[in-house]
């Protein structure tokens, strides 16, 4: 179950990544973060979810130019597409 604090932390993560990666599309960064966050929907312990989401998103954005598509992120994984 997500709480309001977790939602605020995810929003802050999006803002930090947009500021850190100004050459990337803010909309793509937001979609990337939200998709990664969705992977943790069933996590029982929620305390570290925002931190894990930020770390995963930072790795993707830092290593690869992001190209977020409308595809399911849990389908066939690729390196540059989430």
């Amino acid at each position: 179950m997500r709480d309001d604090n977790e939602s605020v932390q995810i929003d802050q993560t999006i803002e930090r990544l947009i500021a850190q990666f100004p050459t990337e599309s803010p909309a793509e960064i937001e979609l990337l973060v939200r998709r990664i966050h969705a992977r943790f929907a069933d996590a029982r312990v929620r305390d570290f979810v925002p931190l894990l989401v930020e770390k995963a998103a930072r790795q993707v954005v830092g290593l690869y130019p992001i190209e977020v598509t409308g595809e399911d992120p849990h389908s066939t994984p690729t390196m540059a597409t989430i």
Side-chain angles (χ1 to χ4, degrees), residues 10-74:
I10 293 299
D11 291 342
Q12 291 170 345
T13 294
I14 293 166
E15 291 172 12
R16 277 192 297 275
L17 292 174
I18 289 171
Q20 184 176 1
F21 298 99
T23 59
E24 298 293 343
S25 163
E28 289 182 352
I29 289 175
E30 180 175 3
L31 187 55
L32 172 70
V33 170
R34 301 236 183 257
R35 285 185 174 176
I36 292 171
H37 186 226
R39 294 178 186 173
F40 292 93
D42 295 330
R44 288 186 225 156
V45 178
R46 309 288 317 167
D47 295 343
F48 298 104
V49 168
L51 178 64
L52 296 170
V53 169
E54 183 165 355
K55 182 176 180 178
R58 190 177 304 281
Q59 286 176 339
V60 171
V61 177
L63 293 176
Y64 312 107
I66 58 173
E67 178 183 328
V68 181
T69 66
E71 299 172 10
D72 180 359
H74 300 291

